[in-house]
Amino acid sequence: MAQPSIVVVGAGPAGVRAAQTLVAAGIRPVVIDEGRRAGGQIYRRQPEGFTRSHEALYGTEAKRARDIHQTFDAMIPHIDYRPETLVWHISGGQVWTVGADGAHRSIPYDGLILCTGATDRVMPVKGWNHAGTYSLGAAQIALKAQACAIGSKVVFLGSGPLLYLVAQQYVKAGANVAAVLNTAPASARIAALPRLAAQPGALWNGVMLTIALKRAGVAMHHGVTPIEIEGDAQNGVSAVAVRLANGREMRFDCDAVGMGHHLRPETQLADLARCEFAFDPAVRQWLPVRDADGRASVPGVYLGGDGARILGARSAEASGTLAALTALGDFGLPIVAGERQKLRRAIAGYDRFAKGLAQAFPWPVAQAAALPGDAIVCRCESISAGDLRAVVNETGAREANRAKALSRVGMGRCQGRYCGLAAAEVIAAEAGMPIETVGRLRGAAPVKPVAFCTANEPEAPAA
């Protein structure tokens, strides 16, 4: 048979390894990436002309970052590479894109490997809509891509390993970090140690991050309850007020806040591809279903990396490779016997570590129920917790999409990426229902804003 046409979406660790596996098998895949340069968020590269070293940018992961970058650069002549290209829809066996030139294109595929990565998971705090509040990922992008800090005196608030990593990167870059405020209690991390020990190197890196912050004199607190990000519309952020684990209230002056509670998979393209989802109680999220080899529930669709499960960059490399091998096998092409079994074992180890992270840095569920009525939940549409609760109580809307239709929560530019999970918690708490019964916001095209003035340019299947 003719070679199958395979599209890989994403050029982070999973997408790069998936493409590498296909190229090694003689396939010329289409690789679509929103980024300007391959590497994903974790190994985000600087613009051309910037000269900071891999060691300065990626620390203990410098060797892996360099290998990902060099592997991809060497592969470019053997792939159909489309950087700065947004996939905004998937339907009818085609991927619909808009490129940097503004042209819309539809690309047919026989196989589709989604390596769409992750975005920040954020629990709102009163005042997080003030200018100067960034997600942790955005704070890191500013530093990695442009060598800029988000402020002159920064508080990092939330939970998860990224909280400490970004704070340490800011300290290393010479920024003034006023405090690291973790909503997770210290006891949670201790209880999670047996699972975290599944990846001793990663666990040790986390310990070293904490030590580095202590040595730098950064104030660190566990088990905090956020009260408010103080500020005003004219001047932005001025301070963060929290209640410490011992009940004492404290206030930390700052002009910027980096905020986040670990990560969430970027699942909207899997949704548009009509993949089945299932609720995962460990992380309180609906996730696309995939089998042990990376197959989604839809024939011809495969899932790799953090876009399916938050297991980290190393697991993403393994799951991207596995998804590509599985696709090759499904198309009747030869693959190395035993390779998939080895990858499955590796991913199982990363999965155990990820479960430890979920236990060590729990999503602050109680914070949603305690949000003041005037706290903004959806920043795109300025929908407050009070607005959302009113919809629940006055209309009986207790399903995520119904509440969205009646309140506009999650209906703005981000399409619920940043507020959807928190909004579901607010609905569940107000209605007194289990979170899984609220459901999830369904993906809808276009997944991100696109201009609607350009004619479509269909492409013929690859020869």
Side-chain angles (χ1 to χ4, degrees):
M1 65 174 287
Q3 280 194 346
S5 171
I6 301 182
V7 172
V8 177
V9 180
V16 171
R17 294 307 183 201
Q20 181 186 22
T21 304
L22 297 173
V23 169
I27 302 286
R28 180 181 171 84
V30 178
V31 179
I32 304 171
D33 189 27
E34 282 188 58
R36 185 176 177 180
R37 306 181 73 191
Q41 297 298 342
I42 183 71
Y43 301 134
R44 175 177 283 268
R45 301 168 84 167
Q46 301 168 103
E48 294 83 352
F50 283 50
T51 57
R52 293 179 71 200
S53 68
H54 280 75
E55 285 70 22
L57 285 169
Y58 310 109
T60 58
E61 301 305 296
K63 183 177 178 183
R64 285 179 175 272
R66 184 182 292 107
D67 188 61
I68 287 286
H69 296 161
Q70 291 177 346
T71 296
F72 191 84
D73 290 347
M75 195 163 53
I76 286 176
H78 308 290
I79 64 176
D80 181 351
Y81 176 40
R82 308 193 184 194
E84 297 186 277
T85 300
L86 169 70
V87 177
W88 62 271
H89 193 24
I90 297 171
S91 70
Q94 298 185 81
V95 169
W96 301 76
T97 70
V98 57
D101 57 0
H104 291 241
R105 296 180 175 88
S106 54
I107 307 169
Y109 63 83
D110 300 311
L112 174 65
I113 303 177
L114 296 175
C115 302
T116 46
T119 55
D120 292 270
R121 189 181 191 185
V122 180
M123 176 61 78
V125 178
K126 182 179 179 181
W128 77 304
N129 48 309
H130 291 316
T133 303
Y134 294 76
S135 71
L136 290 171
Q140 191 180 48
I141 288 170
L143 194 65
K144 280 184 181 176
Q146 298 291 340
C148 293
I150 58 175
S152 61
K153 190 174 186 180
V154 185
V155 166
F156 290 97
L157 170 67
S159 66
L162 195 60
L163 181 74
Y164 293 91
L165 175 62
V166 180
Q168 191 273 340
Q169 289 172 335
Y170 266 61
V171 167
K172 188 176 177 183
N176 181 1
V177 177
V180 176
L181 306 174
N182 188 348
T183 57
S187 59
R189 285 204 282 181
I190 295 171
L193 279 175
R195 284 173 165 169
L196 295 176
Q199 296 294 325
L203 176 59
W204 178 245
N205 287 342
V207 171
M208 294 305 293
L209 286 178
T210 305
I211 291 173
L213 288 167
K214 283 185 176 177
R215 284 178 176 167
V218 175
M220 290 192 288
H221 298 277
H222 307 283
V224 306
T225 302
I227 298 173
E228 182 176 0
I229 295 175
E230 299 176 4
D232 57 52
Q234 186 168 9
N235 300 303
V237 169
S238 60
V240 175
V242 298
R243 185 176 300 106
L244 302 182
N246 62 11
R248 186 162 63 100
E249 292 188 4
M250 283 194 72
R251 184 175 175 279
F252 298 87
D253 291 336
C254 61
D255 61 6
V257 179
M259 194 174 97
H261 300 80
H262 207 22
L263 301 170
R264 55 165 286 280
E266 183 58 70
T267 60
Q268 282 157 312
L269 293 184
D271 204 0
L272 293 178
R274 299 186 179 277
C275 296
E276 182 183 345
F277 279 61
F279 185 75
D280 184 340
V283 292
R284 297 175 71 89
Q285 293 178 55
W286 288 84
L287 301 174
V289 174
R290 68 176 176 185
D291 70 11
D293 289 326
R295 294 183 192 87
S297 59
V298 177
V301 179
Y302 306 85
L303 304 171
D306 282 352
R309 298 283 185 287
I310 302 298
L311 303 184
R314 298 185 183 193
S315 177
E317 291 187 50
S319 63
T321 304
L322 179 59
L325 286 173
T326 302
L328 292 171
D330 289 350
F331 285 112
L333 297 168
I335 57 176
V336 178
E339 185 67 18
R340 284 193 287 179
Q341 186 176 1
K342 187 172 71 175
L343 291 165
R344 282 190 221 112
R345 283 199 298 269
I347 293 169
Y350 297 122
D351 183 63
R352 181 170 172 75
F353 181 75
K355 285 183 169 64
L357 289 179
Q359 184 180 4
F361 302 105
W363 171 237
V365 176
Q367 197 175 315
L371 274 177
D374 59 348
I376 296 296
V377 174
C378 171
R379 299 205 307 186
C380 297
E381 295 287 324
S382 295
I383 307 302
S384 69
D387 296 332
L388 194 50
R389 288 169 185 146
V391 164
V392 172
N393 293 320
E394 294 171 10
T395 71
R398 300 181 175 189
E399 189 274 329
N401 296 285
R402 181 69 175 156
K404 172 184 175 181
L406 296 174
S407 71
R408 295 194 62 82
V409 70
M411 204 175 281
R413 183 180 177 88
C414 88
Q415 289 288 288
R417 285 181 180 80
Y418 294 97
C419 66
L421 296 175
E425 297 286 0
V426 172
I427 295 168
E430 188 65 13
M433 298 164 52
I435 183 65
E436 60 268 31
T437 62
V438 174
R440 62 186 180 83
L441 294 179
R442 290 188 294 271
V447 296
K448 294 181 181 177
V450 296
F452 58 125
C453 60
T454 310
N456 182 48
E457 298 179 12
E459 295 192 10

